[in-house]
Amino acid sequence: MANRNLNLLDYSEITGAAPIALRTHGWRAKCLQRLVRLDMPVPKTVALSFEAVRAIAAGSMPDLSGLVGRFDAGQLLSVRPSAENTDWGGPGAVLNIGMNNARYADITETHGEKVATALYLSFVQAYAQHVARLDPDMFAVSEPSPRALEAALDDYEKEMEEPFPQDPKKQLAEVLRSMARAWEGTSARLLRQAKGASAEAGLGLVVQAMAGGYGAPETGAGVIQFIEPVTGAPQITGRYAERGQGREAVSNNPQAMYLTCDPRGASLEELHPAAFKSLVRHGADCREKLREEMQIEFTVVNGEVSVLDAVKVQRNSRAAVRVAVSLAEDGIITRKEALMRVTPRALSELLHRQVDPRGPRDVLARGIAASPGAATGRLVFTSTAAQASASRGEPCILVRRETSPEDIRGMHAAAGVLTERGGMTSHAAVIGRGLGVPCIVGATGLRIDLKNRQLHTGRRVLSEGDLITIDGTAGEILPGEADMLEPALDQWFTTLLDWADALRDIGVRANADTPADARIARGFKAEGIGLCRTEHMFFEDDRLTVMREMIFADTGPDRAAALARLLPMQRSDFIELFSIMEGLPVCIRLFDPPLHEFLPHTREGMKQLADALDKPLSEVVRRSEELAEFNPMLGLRGVRLGVTLPEIYEMQARAIFEATIAIGRRGGKVVPEIMIPLVSAMREVELVKARIDAVAAAVRVERGNGFEYRLGVMVETPRAALRAGEIAQHAEFMSFGTNDLTQMTYGLSRDDAGRFMSYYVQAGVFPEDPFHVLDTDGVGELLLIAAERGRKARKSLTLSICGEHGGSPESIAFCRDAGFDYVSCSPFRVPVARLAAAQLTIKGDEASDQMPDLR
């Protein structure tokens, strides 16, 4: 039943007949109406619309006689917020509106002075704080008493220069005005906009009759829910407080009892078995009819239950997955709905250990959450120390100012990585995500003292060997060992992703550099390897020395001789990689980094290298200086090495082809994909392709076996994107390395961008960090140009991205719309990509279903 007055007040009584819309009255009003329609005992409630609340905030306070008249005479009321989305918050609830001197006298007579005093004092405290905006400390008392009540009323009158309001309509009007204006405040608006609310998001208000016996022994209040919020397992949890009112009476009351029979004391189930049974029934009705696991706020009066409110149970990611799958398996929601209820990024939390949210958190410092998961270990400050720690079986946290390729082995050995500098796409962040190692970068308030092997956090000084925990999901550094939750790769996780695979229409591969990476990718059901960076294989101790010998060789034959020693190692790597992937496509990127990355940078390291190579130290120093570049990212690397030092690519091609033949002789089938990195010109591709084709012909003759392979390019330069039509004539596929392409398009180093990127985003220069979220305007336009020109030249051209953006839902949406064949991302982001791709398909289907029939 609805009523609209000339004074702009729009209020609707919550009944089963009058429709309450989410977009006009908010989620709480809508939910309460649904509870009424489920025949739950909801106290009389009136909902004020967004329009009405805006009018109140603007100063148009209506005559509340009609609203108050809907309730029984003398009825105490509560007001609660009702935003469109539960996550957007709102002002706190105000209870016991209508409490005044007259009601105090009445309740004293019927229920005793203690009950009346507690009710009146709690209302005065709430009114003073939330409506009059007085200092809450002024009204704080340890124990309610008539003297404390009298003092609170006196203090209110002194501060406000008028007595505490006695007219219930005036009290209600001021509460409504205060809550309406609080919603319009700058801080509240910014907070909800940070959670996704629009600038115009409205607030509804719900006025409800207080249900309760005013604190008599046979009354009380509580909350109940039917799942464990961390695991999602079915479990009745909650508390019940005798003589209590509202959620605060439960959450802040150590005397509140548990709901089910409990050896720690009395329970609601024992005290009021019929009420407990009805609550369980209400919970089941909510799950079936509201299609959600709800937390119910209730009161009990003489054994009878009243349902005051119901909200979605707050839960972590693993609980969200289990609840969604369980609801679908029980036929309450569809599989598509289950898939849409889990955010793709939430899956990242399930793949790693996490800090248990139920435990205490003593945060020492914070940084950028660069790679999810949590790890506990002893502080180490060098990669050598990390490897030594791992050899002893002791988990460690590697702390560096920033990492470099030399730290790869240390990062492999460490349980977690913490850096003082860097952003979301810095070296540490990218490698950390690829390895599945928890990582925090750009930590603020940290100072690393390498000389004394200490970490200064501002609050304390930590030394090498001290135990810390890093939470790469939250970006927090904690002292000591925190309680952990183990990864949740359970039946619900697997089921959800199987449903996703049945729907998605874009491929998902993994970036895998080692056999260990490939096994993880296979376990996460990647559809192949989209990027294997072969240079990471050369940082192992036995190979690094041979690589350095090759670097110090002066002639092509000498380089070939050194590389011949690497050939069997590379061949073995590829055989294992092909075996693990069992016939799925494997895309191998040829050698990419500048050679100086394989040389030591310290005097001591150069001396050790001189001893190993039996060369004068001066020659080692000279060679290192010759290879040094002013800007290595734009120097002699990628295809430029393949053109100027062709022996490297020839060795790698031979290793790939010989591994292909070996797999074929075992009965397997593999068609390797060879990718040339950092191309800029068609001629580069022609030169490298000619040499690779020559190696293939030679291997076929030598081994007497035929094999197939595909040759493609990695597009990382703007010029390659613009000349894609020419390049595609010699390439069967193009994979966009969006990390480097973004760097070169912006003229911006991804390792340094973290120092100022947050300021740029806040100032609106960029909507997001372009290294974190694909820039669809600039970089995206280059991708579209390359795709169009490439496929115009070669219709069968395979298109993909293999940079860090490959696991981003926004990037996957862009690639899907552009007609790309697949995305490739780090193994631990494969589940994220699988779910995101399925959700895009579902959204596309929904949009198609809503299209008008034009026949």
Side-chain angles (χ1 to χ4, degrees):
M1 175 168 111
N3 180 28
R4 183 182 296 273
N5 296 341
L6 294 176
N7 52 31
L8 299 180
L9 178 63
D10 182 3
Y11 53 87
S12 303
E13 188 172 322
I14 302 289
T15 67
I20 296 292
L22 185 69
R23 65 181 180 276
T24 59
H25 288 75
W27 66 270
R28 178 168 268 126
K30 183 67 176 177
C31 182
L32 284 169
Q33 183 177 65
R34 288 170 174 168
L35 298 181
V36 170
R37 289 175 174 174
L38 293 177
D39 293 326
M40 292 189 190
V42 177
K44 182 172 288 188
T45 306
V46 171
L48 277 68
S49 69
F50 297 169
E51 179 186 351
V53 175
R54 287 192 184 101
I56 290 172
S60 179
M61 179 57 65
D63 179 1
L64 297 178
S65 300
L67 189 154
V68 174
R70 292 171 179 261
F71 299 95
D72 295 338
Q75 174 70 62
L76 299 184
L77 305 175
S78 67
V79 179
R80 290 182 171 88
S82 181
E84 189 172 345
N85 187 307
T86 58
D87 295 332
W88 295 351
V94 178
L95 310 182
N96 298 316
I97 300 166
M99 196 69 196
N100 53 20
N101 294 341
R103 292 296 293 137
Y104 177 74
D106 291 342
I107 296 173
T108 297
E109 184 175 342
T110 56
H111 294 89
E113 185 180 62
K114 184 176 181 180
V115 172
T117 299
L119 287 173
Y120 201 179
L121 182 57
S122 68
F123 178 53
V124 172
Q125 290 169 323
Y127 193 93
Q129 178 180 350
H130 298 296
V131 179
R133 306 297 177 186
L134 300 178
D135 185 352
D137 292 340
M138 182 185 304
F139 297 89
V141 296
S142 57
E143 187 69 28
S145 66
R147 180 175 296 177
L149 172 61
E150 184 178 355
L153 291 169
D154 288 343
D155 287 339
Y156 180 93
E157 185 169 352
K158 290 176 183 176
E159 289 294 319
M160 300 301 295
E161 298 181 352
E162 63 180 14
F164 188 80
Q166 297 294 304
D167 182 358
K169 285 185 289 189
K170 177 177 173 57
Q171 293 175 356
L172 179 59
E174 293 304 318
V175 168
L176 294 176
R177 180 182 288 111
S178 173
M179 295 177 74
R181 290 179 174 173
W183 177 260
E184 299 296 337
T186 302
S187 297
R189 185 171 63 256
L190 292 176
L191 282 173
R192 64 176 176 267
Q193 285 178 334
K195 297 177 181 178
S198 67
E200 298 77 26
L203 176 74
L205 292 174
V206 169
V207 183
Q208 188 177 68
M210 294 290 295
Y214 304 124
E218 67 277 10
T219 70
V223 293
I224 185 171
Q225 62 189 45
F226 305 90
I227 60 164
E228 207 286 320
V230 173
T231 66
Q235 178 181 322
I236 293 176
T237 59
R239 302 291 290 276
Y240 174 76
E242 291 185 289
R243 306 179 181 86
Q245 276 192 318
R247 292 175 179 270
E248 293 76 12
V250 178
S251 59
N252 299 324
N253 185 359
Q255 303 303 318
M257 66 181 68
Y258 289 87
L259 301 181
T260 57
C261 295
D262 192 286
R264 291 168 286 188
S267 68
L268 179 66
E269 186 177 15
E270 295 170 318
L271 195 65
H272 298 294
F276 177 81
K277 187 175 180 180
S278 68
L279 284 169
V280 172
R281 185 178 68 251
H282 294 328
D285 288 343
C286 281
R287 184 177 190 270
E288 181 180 355
K289 302 296 174 54
L290 302 186
R291 309 186 316 143
E292 183 55 274
E293 292 287 358
M294 305 293 284
Q295 182 188 82
I296 297 174
E297 182 180 349
F298 66 92
T299 61
V300 177
V301 180
N302 298 322
E304 294 295 323
V305 170
S306 290
V307 175
L308 307 183
D309 198 11
V311 298
K312 186 177 103 172
V313 174
Q314 293 297 308
R315 65 202 70 166
N316 70 357
S317 296
R318 68 183 60 204
V321 170
R322 179 166 180 170
V323 168
V325 172
S326 297
L327 289 171
E329 289 182 332
D330 291 344
I332 295 173
I333 63 176
T334 66
R335 291 182 178 183
K336 287 184 177 181
E337 288 177 287
L339 288 165
M340 295 303 294
R341 287 193 179 191
V342 179
T343 60
R345 289 188 177 91
L347 293 187
S348 296
E349 297 180 21
L350 308 187
L351 309 179
H352 312 272
R353 299 179 78 206
Q354 298 288 332
V355 174
D356 192 332
R358 296 167 292 192
R361 292 181 84 92
D362 178 17
V363 180
L364 293 177
R366 289 180 171 85
I368 299 171
S371 181
T376 298
R378 301 198 178 277
L379 279 177
V380 297
F381 292 88
T382 65
S383 290
T384 302
Q387 291 172 274
S389 182
S391 69
R392 296 191 300 268
E394 297 177 354
C396 66
I397 305 298
L398 175 61
V399 181
R400 305 286 286 161
R401 284 201 175 93
E402 55 190 341
T403 61
S404 67
E406 284 185 318
D407 293 310
I408 291 290
R409 286 172 289 169
M411 296 177 72
H412 271 281
V417 177
L418 170 63
T419 69
E420 184 180 2
R421 302 170 185 163
M424 280 298 293
T425 51
S426 63
H427 179 270
V430 172
I431 300 302
R433 287 192 291 271
L435 297 176
V437 172
C439 179
I440 297 174
V441 300
T444 56
L446 285 185
R447 184 173 64 84
I448 298 173
D449 181 354
L450 289 177
K451 181 179 179 181
N452 296 306
R453 301 292 176 91
Q454 290 181 331
L455 181 67
H456 297 253
T457 68
R459 290 176 49 197
R460 67 177 71 179
V461 177
L462 301 170
S463 300
E464 188 162 58
D466 286 350
L467 203 64
I468 68 166
T469 296
I470 66 168
D471 185 344
T473 303
E476 295 178 343
I477 300 104
L478 314 173
E481 183 173 5
D483 294 334
M484 296 283 191
L485 296 174
E486 295 304 313
L489 308 182
D490 49 31
Q491 67 188 80
W492 296 280
F493 175 87
T494 302
T495 298
L496 187 78
L497 287 177
D498 286 345
W499 294 348
D501 290 340
L503 287 172
R504 62 183 171 86
D505 53 12
I506 187 171
V508 177
R509 295 195 196 180
N511 300 340
D513 302 336
T514 65
D517 294 339
R519 290 189 187 93
I520 295 171
R522 187 79 192 193
F524 289 146
K525 296 187 177 181
E527 297 171 307
I529 293 176
L531 173 63
C532 174
R533 291 165 286 214
T534 52
E535 60 270 9
H536 288 176
M537 301 173 177
F538 295 137
F539 281 101
E540 298 297 329
D541 287 331
D542 57 339
R543 306 174 187 206
L544 187 57
T545 301
V546 181
M547 272 296 297
R548 288 170 170 174
E549 288 181 12
M550 187 275 295
I551 291 170
F552 277 83
D554 293 321
T555 66
D558 288 343
R559 283 192 294 270
L563 290 165
R565 295 168 57 194
L566 284 174
L567 174 63
M569 303 176 192
Q570 279 267 276
R571 181 174 60 233
S572 176
D573 289 331
F574 295 140
I575 289 174
E576 189 172 4
L577 208 60
F578 294 155
S579 298
I580 293 167
M581 298 314 292
E582 297 179 5
L584 292 175
V586 176
C587 183
I588 299 168
R589 185 181 75 181
L590 297 176
F591 192 87
D592 179 52
L595 295 179
H596 76 87
E597 290 191 0
F598 293 87
L599 298 180
H601 300 293
T602 64
R603 186 80 177 179
E604 182 61 29
M606 290 183 186
K607 187 176 183 305
Q608 292 175 1
L609 178 57
D611 292 340
L613 298 179
D614 192 23
K615 291 181 180 292
L617 176 60
S618 59
E619 185 177 341
V620 172
V621 172
R622 178 182 56 80
R623 185 65 171 147
S624 296
E625 291 174 348
E626 288 175 353
L627 291 173
E629 296 178 299
F630 289 108
N631 193 336
M633 285 301 300
L634 303 178
L636 184 57
R637 53 167 288 217
V639 69
R640 299 155 196 169
L641 282 170
V643 172
T644 58
L645 302 173
E647 298 85 6
I648 300 175
Y649 282 8
E650 288 173 355
M651 180 277 291
Q652 290 191 300
R654 177 172 284 274
I656 293 168
F657 298 144
E658 290 179 356
T660 301
I661 290 173
I663 292 295
R665 287 174 177 173
R666 297 178 184 178
K669 172 69 173 176
V670 61
V671 178
E673 299 174 355
I674 300 176
M675 183 158 64
I676 307 171
L678 206 71
V679 300
S680 296
M682 178 181 69
R683 183 58 178 161
E684 291 174 321
V685 183
E686 286 179 326
L687 291 170
V688 174
K689 182 177 186 300
R691 289 185 176 274
I692 291 175
D693 288 345
V695 172
V699 173
R700 288 188 183 108
V701 172
E702 293 167 12
R703 299 302 176 95
N705 286 92
F707 55 84
E708 299 176 29
Y709 65 95
R710 302 180 71 216
L711 186 71
V713 298
M714 192 168 184
V715 178
E716 303 163 88
T717 67
R719 191 179 195 281
L722 295 172
R723 308 309 298 169
E726 296 174 357
I727 293 171
Q729 297 174 34
H730 304 284
E732 296 179 75
F733 63 87
M734 284 185 173
S735 190
F736 294 87
T738 51
N739 297 351
D740 276 355
L741 185 57
T742 299
Q743 286 195 107
M744 296 192 186
T745 302
Y746 276 80
L748 181 63
S749 166
R750 69 183 183 189
D751 293 312
D752 297 322
R755 299 181 184 181
F756 64 86
M757 188 55 67
S758 62
Y759 299 105
Y760 261 52
V761 173
Q762 291 172 10
V765 179
F766 303 144
E768 293 286 350
D769 182 342
F771 294 107
H772 186 44
V773 177
L774 181 67
D775 165 30
T776 56
D777 294 331
V779 178
E781 186 171 358
L782 286 172
L783 265 61
L784 293 175
I785 290 171
E788 180 185 2
R789 295 179 181 179
R791 281 192 167 157
K792 185 176 181 180
R794 183 190 288 261
K795 291 183 179 180
S796 61
L797 185 70
T798 299
L799 297 173
S800 67
I801 65 170
C802 58
E804 272 295 294
H805 296 108
S808 161
E810 297 87 353
S811 305
I812 296 170
F814 177 87
C815 292
R816 181 175 177 269
D817 291 342
F820 280 33
D821 297 280
Y822 68 87
V823 297
S824 188
C825 53
S826 62
F828 283 93
R829 300 187 83 183
V830 166
V832 175
R834 290 163 63 193
L835 177 59
Q839 291 184 345
L840 291 168
T841 303
I842 294 170
K843 290 177 182 176
D845 291 345
E846 290 174 350
S848 298
D849 292 342
Q850 293 171 4
M851 291 291 288
D853 187 352
L854 302 178
R855 290 175 296 174

